[in-house]
């Protein structure tokens, strides 16, 4: 692996409101990670190497060549770090669906902050909290104040708070794709910047990668995954299982449908689509075998959770973004 | 939903990449608009918008001088976009598009803003109306920058027509097309042509005998070298599009040829009988038959469904002129346009509806007309159950103008709620005929309304009243009841709540009860699927627009003639047929069809071949290129509904003229901050 | 000069009473003509609805509706031909599935049902169109402003490069 | 990032260790020194919350096994399995044998992978390289440098094969999706089974090797043995873990057993009864709750018989168990207890926090051995019995598995359509929250003394206190050159930094 420039690139990775799968996915490139260290110095990666906010703050602006930021912005600290890293990085990459589209944590945008606190700390079968104590940004103790970051009203995407050059979607992004992207980036082979260009994926939809056969039939009844054994080779959507494939960007290799399970849309919207949910509503609206409003209503009632399914990973990128 | 094209610079107007030069022309409509909307103020404020180089008003924008002015401005100011704010685009969009063409500007670089029907005529407060008008025009200014020039679709048309159905409408259409020198193929399912006209006996409003009229028409058609008629023939399948339809048809042999001389013997010899459709079941006919003495062709045909091929007819005629082999032949007909003239069926009352099928005294109006026919089954006598007829009751709207929950529902669960139009006059016509021949017969006419709408039809009503027909009026929610008359005065008694005598219940004795039955479309479901015909709520074929395009279907190149479109009398059928013929002729004569360019277009980069759009297209205009794994739109078949564009989960399909970026630009402008200010 | 007067005038109006901004997506063949019919018959209705014309209600992409709300619409009205009368045979069959499904989704996003209606309006039903617009405008006025862009900005959305869907297209 | 204006009380100094590293937000340690420079108090804070319990409401319950793995992408299998088991309970689904075998097999293989990652990437550097050696080489690369590329290759291979297996089972190597209510989404095809068997055979060998490595590097080093046995890392707390009907360790299924510091059984409960026995205490200064034993009660951050604080770690699991379900692991189990408590029966609990690493290796061996047994089961490739279709009316269910870092509980209540109305989750790391706080504080107190300059090595030894728990936010630490970022700021009363110590 070679770089076009002589001296080594400086790379950073940061983990915000996400599960850690992104960092693990980066480890999935396996031994190749040693190749990476051959051509690039890791100058910030909290889960891996010993550099601190203070060091980053001390770097000159745009010192970092490529910064991979994974996770959404759920609290004040994550926003501060995002701004800091934007300042210090030539190229900022939103890594993983949480950073790109909010990911699963953004499902919290369907609920209120208060509701979340109540469910976690008050109204909960194992919680014992007679004094109704809730976490506070500042807590007084005999020895001094303790501080934890402010919990925001909703999950924001990286591009909601800073400018982003590239997006690498996926929950998590698939290692091989990522490796190609990293090679491209570090090798200097890159698409135009400052446009949040999606890389390490294609513009097409999961159906493009899915091996299952489409028989061009309309759906007569919706079923849920635990209610039916799908035919192995046949399109799951046509079998009445809500599958996000048609509305989902490809790049994953259609792994879930290979495991006989419908796609849940983890790579976010495909093509030029921004709002994955409404795209899916359009698709669903087009393939039902109904001729009357009654039939339509009946079939729609068979869909258990349209919002949570169509926006499973991308509520942060939806036009409406959150509950009122 | 980004789409392409930017607000600032033109995606090649008439020369790529030049700046927007928009002309805005606002119409007073002689006060219709300007009395409410302060058009001057709007024009001034619009003039300040980026890209707008001209903005002014005119008293009548659709007037010749105004159009000349637009033309002139386009040239003088080198405008590359034109907005006209006036009446509804349904009225004048075309007018102004032509103006653009004349000025050498692509006619689709045009926006029509509706500030009359949807602003000045509906908004009371002048201030609010003015703001709304401005808001809508601002939106058009934003949208128009995203428009790209488009070309009409042009498709060559094969110089021939296919007419399906050889009833009076089909024949008229065929005749008129042939007269224009077009080749015409006529396909008729039954072995005889002429359709139902011959069954009518006399026809209003002239009272002439139907058959001579019909024969005259038939002679004209069959002797025209341009016309080929296929009897006993049905349509199997049709492929292709306007200009180039390939229709596969199957012809079953007649079983009889010109060498047959002893027709009478043949028919007499036949042992097989079945009911006579022509006489609505009043009589029977043989398996080898002629529906009526002067049917056309003047030669019998064998009804293979009934024939047992016993060969008795063959021996009776000495073996000449009859062939009992019935292998059908299939041919493919090539035609540029298609005219559907598939006609109607009289409504067949349900079992027990007004006692139909229950009491032998209950018949339909069609059956009555067959009885009145001197050459008909009864030799012109009215008879039922042998007894002399003293009282006849006629009930209108049997199978028409019904109300859900009142009348018995049809098999499809619906009721026949539309007016069948022809039956009122036909019923009165029949009453008069009866009164003329047997003045002593009492006729009771039970109706909801009398709808004698056509020229001369009202006279039948007048004369019938003069002739002493008793009229009683019932409410469609409270239908007459038909019962056995226990006092034995007449076989039946009809009980009706009579509106004319303020709702008194009146009992009418009836030796004969005639149901003036409505009209239903002939069953052509295969054709409907084949040609993707739109169907109205009444399940008749649905035209594109009742006023502007009354004899065209949405599928270009397919026209409709006569009562397949809805209940019509012969006058109307022939008029419609003539209209359809001239439309078709024009299309053929022009040699090509022009279609609006607002069609679907696939972005091959984005298309994932997910096939969602394939099941969506009502016209099967989208297919999948398996080699490249992407969707492909047939530009000729696409009707431009845009449903696929809304469907594509990858936004890989756009509808020209209604692209996402265009609609969104409009939406943005309507909702942005300035718009808020002008609300 | 006239403008300044104008704007001042407007802002005072705006502050005085809340005027709902309603977007109407209408199919060309039935509903748009139906709206014209209302005009031809001089049937008055509030000026708050702005009509966006499309060829078929089947073209009304749910994305358009979501965008309308996201960009500040207080209400959205979708109209198409009655089922069975579609000019394109079955275009509105898609509408009758999509829109109710979208209504479910938007309700979960906190958008009151009165703000998002689907109505079938034939070319002849000018009076019906008038009634719907009057009724809906009043209901939305009662509900008050939705102001989605303002709400989202207040929560920190779109402070980065992401000005969509609030920016110009 | 502690903001400067945060006040420290008169007469005290604050040392902030921030950030530690992340998962569910990052860990942060605030140490307060009194005027004498001794540790007055010490807080370990988890400053993040993502609200899964709330936003799972309204979702179809069968989707939970696909949603909840995003709580932790390091141990997604654990959440998927706990969730799937809860779903089985919600639908009262009785799993066929093959389904159970498949789940347990996939889960044990995951255990091997996860424990490997933790031991080599996280723990080994401290021991192989030494707690206070040059930080630049105190990491996996350093370890490889010291013990040779061959070992490094083994580690990377083991991880890679683990994820290959995960992909075979679950479609996706990270955040698998294949456990569904009623079983698995697809059967294990014979050719797939063969590949899995090869992988598992390698894993057993690797586990044996790892045990030997620990033997040679740690146990044979008196300095380390002393650190383990007598270092500031000992707490006498209750232990919790899942056991089978013979009270042997089981990661996937069984009853939860709790024994006291003295080794006596406190309770052995069915998963569905968890809330009768576990309470969660809330403190205002951290987003993470403090689970404790209701029977004993919450007495604050203290250990001992009277405090409800318990631990759920590999060590705890060995403490509550009376043996292992595989021969080699059983040997290792006895060796472990013999060394630490001179009681090879295992009835006397071990409380040496650093020995958790050792316990982890015993489990690693057990998981590998048990996997081999499972993958060779004749029913494992049955084409039909990999699942049942759920037909019962859904209502409520609890699912419990042992996550590598602690007992993991999922609890759902649904409506009759199977839509989640309430969800409650107690994740592995949370169990140990109180214990970690105590360990960190105790370590701080033991290591930071009057007049002693706080060195980088000191800080690393404080880290070792919580690293032993393999808390989620430790998962991937040390997997690359260097180690977790750590900064100690000594501030005066008004918060201005007096001195700053870092590790480079």
């Amino acid at each position: 692996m070679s770089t076009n420039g002589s001296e080594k690139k400086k790379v950073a990775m940061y983990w915000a409101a996400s599960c850690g799968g992104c960092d693990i996915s980066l480890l999935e490139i396996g031994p190749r990670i040693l190749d990476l260290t051959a051509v690039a110095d890791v100058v910030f990666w909290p889960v891996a190497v010993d550099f601190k906010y203070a060091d980053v703050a001390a770097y000159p602006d745009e010192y970092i060549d490529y910064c991979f930021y994974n996770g959404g912005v759920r609290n004040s600290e994550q926003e501060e770090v995002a701004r800091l890293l934007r300042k210090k990085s030539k190229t900022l990459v939103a890594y993983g669906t949480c950073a790109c589209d909010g990911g699963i944590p953004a499902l919290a945008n369907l609920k209120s902050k208060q509701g979340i606190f109540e469910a976690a700390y008050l109204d909960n079968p194992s919680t014992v909290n007679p004094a109704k104590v809730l976490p506070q940004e500042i807590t007084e103790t005999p020895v001094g104040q303790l501080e934890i970051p402010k919990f925001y009203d909703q999950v924001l995407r990286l591009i909601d708070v800073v400018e982003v050059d590239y997006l690498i979607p996926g929950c998590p992004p698939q290692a091989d794709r990522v490796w190609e992207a990293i090679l491209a980036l570090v090798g200097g082979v890159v698409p135009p910047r400052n446009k949040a260009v999606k890389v390490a994926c294609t513009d097409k939809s999961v159906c493009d990668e899915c091996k299952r056969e489409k028989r061009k039939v309309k759906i007569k009844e919706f079923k849920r995954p635990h209610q039916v054994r799908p035919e192995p080779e046949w399109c799951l959507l046509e079998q009445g299982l809500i599958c996000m494939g048609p509305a989902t960007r490809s790049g994953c290799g259609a792994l879930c449908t290979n495991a006989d399970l419908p796609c849940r849309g983890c790579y976010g919207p495909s093509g030029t689509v921004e709002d994955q949910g409404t795209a899916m509503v359009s698709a669903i609206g087009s393939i039902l075998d109904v001729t009357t409003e009654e039939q339509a209503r009946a079939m729609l009632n068979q869909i258990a959770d349209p919002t949570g399914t169509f926006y499973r990973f991308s509520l942060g990128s939806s036009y409406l973004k959150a509950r009122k | 939903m980004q789409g392409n094209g930017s607000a600032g610079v033109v995606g090649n107007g008439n020369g790529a990449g030049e700046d927007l030069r928009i002309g805005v022309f606002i119409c007073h409509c002689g006060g219709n608009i300007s009395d409410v909307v302060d058009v001057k103020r709007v024009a001034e404020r619009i003039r300040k918008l980026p890209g707008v180089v001209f903005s002014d008003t005119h008293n009548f924008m659709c007037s010749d001088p105004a159009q000349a002015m637009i033309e002139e401005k386009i040239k003088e100011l080198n405008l590359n976009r034109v907005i006209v704010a006036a009446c509804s685009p349904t009225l004048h969009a075309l007018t102004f598009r032509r103006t653009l063409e004349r000025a050498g500007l692509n006619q689709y670089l045009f926006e029509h803003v509706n500030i009359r029907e949807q602003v000045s005529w509906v908004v009371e407060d002048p201030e609010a109306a003015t703001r709304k008008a401005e808001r809508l025009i601002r939106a058009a200014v934003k949208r128009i920058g995203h428009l790209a020039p488009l070309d009409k679709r042009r498709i060559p048309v094969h110089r021939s027509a296919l007419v399906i159905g050889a009833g009076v409408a089909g024949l008229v259409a065929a005749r008129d097309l042939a007269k224009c020198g077009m080749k015409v193929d006529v396909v008729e399912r039954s072995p005889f042509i002429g359709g139902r006209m011959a069954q009518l006996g006399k026809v209003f409003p002239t009272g002439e005998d139907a058959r001579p009229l019909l024969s005259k028409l038939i002679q004209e058609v069959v002797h025209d070298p341009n016309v080929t008629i296929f009897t006993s023939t049905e349509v199997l399948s049709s492929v292709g599009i306007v200009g180039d339809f390939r229709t596969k048809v199957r012809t079953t042999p007649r079983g009889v040829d010109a060498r047959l001389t002893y027709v009478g013997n043949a028919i007499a010899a036949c042992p097989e009988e079945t009911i006579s459709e022509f006489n609505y079941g009043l009589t029977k006919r043989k398996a080898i038959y002629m529906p009526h003495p002067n049917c056309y062709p003047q030669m019998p045909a064998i009804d293979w469904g009934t024939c047992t091929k016993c060969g008795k007819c063959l021996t009776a005629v000495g073996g000449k002129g009859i062939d009992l082999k019935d292998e059908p032949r299939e041919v493919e007909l090539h035609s540029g346009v298609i005219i559907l003239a598939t006609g109607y069926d009289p409504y067949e009352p349900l079992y027990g509806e007004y006692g139909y099928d229950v009491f032998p005294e209950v018949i339909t109006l069609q059956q009555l007309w067959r009885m009145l026919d001197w050459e008909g089954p009864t030799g012109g006598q009215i008879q039922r159950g042998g007894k002399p007829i003293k009282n006849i009751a006629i009930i209108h709207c049997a199978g028409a103008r019904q109300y859900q929950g009142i009348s018995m529902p049809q098999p499809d669960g619906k009721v026949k709620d539309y007016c069948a139009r022809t039956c009122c006059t036909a019923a009165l016509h029949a009453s008069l005929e009866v009164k003329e021949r047997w003045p002593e017969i009492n006729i009771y006419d039970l109706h909801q309304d009398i709808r004698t709408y056509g020229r001369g039809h009202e006279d039948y009503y007048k004369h019938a009243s003069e002739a002493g027909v008793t009229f009683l009026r019932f409410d469609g929610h409270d239908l007459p009841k038909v019962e056995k008359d226990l006092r034995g005065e007449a076989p039946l008694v009809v009980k009706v709540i009579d509106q004319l005598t303020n709702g008194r219940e009146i009992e009418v004795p009836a030796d004969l009860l005639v149901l003036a039955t409505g009209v239903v479309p002939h069953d052509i479901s295969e054709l409907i699927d084949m040609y993707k015909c739109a169907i109205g709520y009444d399940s008749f074929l649905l035209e594109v627009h009742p006023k502007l395009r009354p004899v065209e279907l949405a599928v270009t190149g397919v026209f409709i003639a006569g009562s397949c479109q809805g209940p019509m009398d012969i006058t109307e059928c022939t008029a419609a047929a003539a209209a359809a013929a001239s439309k078709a002729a024009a299309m053929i004569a022009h040699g090509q069809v022009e279609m609006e360019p607002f069609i679907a277009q696939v972005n091959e980069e984005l298309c994932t071949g997910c096939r969602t759009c394939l099941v969506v297209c009502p016209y099967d205009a989208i297919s999948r290129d398996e080699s490249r794994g992407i969707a492909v739109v047939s530009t000729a078949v696409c009707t431009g509904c845009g449903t696929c564009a809304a469907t594509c989960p990858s936004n890989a399909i756009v509808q020209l003229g209604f692209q996402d970026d265009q609609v969104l630009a409009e939406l943005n402008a309507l909702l942005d901050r300035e718009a808020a200010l002008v609300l | 000069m006239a403008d300044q007067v104008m704007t001042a005038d407007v802002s005072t109006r705006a502050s005085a009473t809340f005027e709902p901004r309603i977007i109407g997506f209408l199919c060309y063949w039935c509903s748009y003509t139906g709206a014209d019919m209302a005009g031809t018959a001089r049937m008055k209705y509030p000026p708050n609805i702005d009509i966006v014309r499309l060829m078929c209600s089947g073209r009304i992409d749910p994305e358009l509706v979501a965008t309308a709300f996201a960009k500040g619409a207080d209400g959205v009205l979708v109209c198409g031909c009655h089922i069975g009368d579609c000019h394109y045979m079955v275009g509105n069959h898609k509408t009758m599935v999509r829109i109710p499904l979208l209504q479910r989704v938007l309700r979960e996003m906190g958008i009151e049902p009165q703000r998002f209606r689907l109505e079938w309006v034939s070319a002849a039903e000018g009076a019906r169109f008038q009634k719907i617009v009057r009724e809906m405008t009043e209901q939305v006025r009662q509900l008050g402003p939705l102001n989605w862009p303002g709400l989202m900005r207040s929560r920190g959305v779109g402070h980065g490069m992401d000005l969509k869907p609030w920016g110009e297209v | 990032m502690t903001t400067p204006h945060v006040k420290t009380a008169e007469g005290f100094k604050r040392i902030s260790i921030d950030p530690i590293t992340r998962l569910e937000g990052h860990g942060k340690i605030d140490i307060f020194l009194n005027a004498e420079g001794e540790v007055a108090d010490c807080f370990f804070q988890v400053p993040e919350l993502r609200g899964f319990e709330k936003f799972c409401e309204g979702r179809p319950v069968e989707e939970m096994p696909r949603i909840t793995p995003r709580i932790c992408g390091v141990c997604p299998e654990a959440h998927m399995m706990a969730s799937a088991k809860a779903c089985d309970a919600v639908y009262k689904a009785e799993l066929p044998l093959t389904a159970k075998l498949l789940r347990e097999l996939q889960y044990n293989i995951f255990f091997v992978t996860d424990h490997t990652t933790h031991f080599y990437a996280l723990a080994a550097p401290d021991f192989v390289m030494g707690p206070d050696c040059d930080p630049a080489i105190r990491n996996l690369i350093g370890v490889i440098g010291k013990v040779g590329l061959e070992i490094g290759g083994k580690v990377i291979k083991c991880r890679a094969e683990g994820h290959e297996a995960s992909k075979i089972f679950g479609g996706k190597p990270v955040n698998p999706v294949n456990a569904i209510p009623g079983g698995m989404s697809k059967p294990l095809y014979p050719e797939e089974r063969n590949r899995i068997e090869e992988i598992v055979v390698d894993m057993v060998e690797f586990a044996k090797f790892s045990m030997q490595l620990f033997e040679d590097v740690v146990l044979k080093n008196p300095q380390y043995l002393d650190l383990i046995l007598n270092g500031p890392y000992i707490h006498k707390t209750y232990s919790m873990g899942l056991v089978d009907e013979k009270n042997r360790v089981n990661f996937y299924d069984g009853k939860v057993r709790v024994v006291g510091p003295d080794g006596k059984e406190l309770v052995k409960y069915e998963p569905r009864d968890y809330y009768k026995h576990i309470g969660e205490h809330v403190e205002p200064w951290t987003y993470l709750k403090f689970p404790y034993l209701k029977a004993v009660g919450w007495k604050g951050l203290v250990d001992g018989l009277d405090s409800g604080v318990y631990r759920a770690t590999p060590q705890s699991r060995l403490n509550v168990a009376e043996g292992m379900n595989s021969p080699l692991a059983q040997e290792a189990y006895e060796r472990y207890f013999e060394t630490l408590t001179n009681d090879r029966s295992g009835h006397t609990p071990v409380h040496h926090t650093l020995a958790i690493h050792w316990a982890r290796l015993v489990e690693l061996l057990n998981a590998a051995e048990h996997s081999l047994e499972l993958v060779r089961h004749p029913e494992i490739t049955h084409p039909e019995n990999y699942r049942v279709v759920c037909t019962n009316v859904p209502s409520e269910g609890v699912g419990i598995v042992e996550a590598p870092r602690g007992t993991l509980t999922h609890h759902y209540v649904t409506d009759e359509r199977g839509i989640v109305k309430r969800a409650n989750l107690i994740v592995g790391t949370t169990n140990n929250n109180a214990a970690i706080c105590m360990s960190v504080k105790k370590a701080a107190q033991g290591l930071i003394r009057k007049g002693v300059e706080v060195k980088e090595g000191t800080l690393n030894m404080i880290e070792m206190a919580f690293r032993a728990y393999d808390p989620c936010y430790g998962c991937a630490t040390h997997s690359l050159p260097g180690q977790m970022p750590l900064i100690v700021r000594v501030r005066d009363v008004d918060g201005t930094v007096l001195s700053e110590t870092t590790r480079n």
Side-chain angles (χ1 to χ4, degrees), chain A residues 14-15 19 49-50 77 120-121 124 126 128 136 145 147 171 224 226 229 259 261-262 264 301 305, chain D residues 1 3 7 14 22-23 26 59 62-63 66 91 172 177 185 280 284 287 289 387 417 424 481:
Chain A
Y14 184 75
W15 173 349
C19 66
V49 300
D50 182 15
E77 175 168 317
Y121 301 112
N124 170 309
S126 55
V128 182
Q136 305 297 322
Q145 293 178 326
E147 185 196 33
C171 185
R224 286 157 63 181
H226 61 290
R229 289 175 189 251
L261 281 166
R264 282 297 173 252
N301 288 337
D305 171 26
Chain D
M1 288 193 280
T3 40
K7 292 271 172 295
R14 175 199 304 258
R22 307 195 160 262
L23 193 99
H26 71 223
R59 314 281 81 83
E62 71 273 13
E63 295 292 327
R66 301 189 67 171
Y91 279 102
K172 295 170 72 181
V177 296
S185 67
E280 290 182 283
Y287 281 116
K289 291 185 282 188
R387 67 172 286 191
R417 293 184 64 209
N424 189 29

Side-chain angles (χ1 to χ4, degrees), chain A residues 224-235:
Chain A
R224 286 157 63 181
H226 61 290
Q227 296 170 328
V228 55
R229 289 175 189 251
E231 265 185 55
E233 306 303 325
W234 181 19
C235 168

Side-chain angles (χ1 to χ4, degrees), chain B residues 1-2 7 32 41 45 48 88-90 114 117-118 120-125 127-128 131-132 135-136 146 532-537 542 544 549 554 616 618-619 639-643 645-647 651 655 658-661 663-664 666-668 670-672 675-677 679, chain C residues 3 6-7 9-11 13 19-21 23 25-26 28-29 32-33 35-36 38-40 42-56 58-64 67-69 71-73 84-91 94 98 164-165 167-169:
Chain B
M1 278 172 91
Q2 279 325 91
N32 274 299
R41 187 179 97 194
R45 288 174 57 83
K48 298 194 176 60
S88 170
T90 54
N114 182 344
E117 280 82 350
Q118 294 181 8
S120 66
W121 280 353
V122 290
V123 180
E124 258 155 333
D125 170 20
E127 180 58 33
R131 292 170 195 281
K132 181 170 183 178
R135 202 161 65 239
L136 296 177
H146 292 260
K532 310 280 185 286
C533 309
I535 298 297
Y537 70 96
L542 187 66
V544 173
R549 296 166 67 186
V616 166
Y619 302 95
T639 57
C641 63
T643 307
T647 297
N651 281 0
Q655 182 191 9
F658 293 88
Q659 285 167 228
D660 286 345
D661 60 318
V663 180
L664 283 173
E666 184 178 0
L667 202 52
N668 285 327
L670 290 173
L671 289 168
D672 64 18
L677 284 179
L679 181 75
Chain C
D3 284 356
M6 171 83 198
T7 334
D9 165 27
V10 171
S11 50
R13 280 172 67 96
E19 286 297 337
R21 296 158 77 182
I23 297 294
F25 293 104
L26 271 59
Y28 184 54
W29 298 99
Y32 189 87
T33 318
D36 278 353
T40 319
R42 310 296 198 278
M43 297 170 173
K44 305 299 177 198
Y45 57 79
N48 304 62
I49 184 167
D50 295 345
I51 292 170
V52 175
R53 177 174 67 95
L54 295 158
M55 293 310 282
C56 177
R59 170 66 182 90
I60 299 168
D61 190 330
E63 274 182 297
L64 289 173
T67 312
F69 281 117
K71 289 178 186 293
D85 287 354
C86 179
H87 174 77
Y88 302 101
M89 301 196 303
V90 290
K94 317 295 179 298
R98 281 181 193 141
K164 297 185 269 50
E168 292 303 314
V169 170

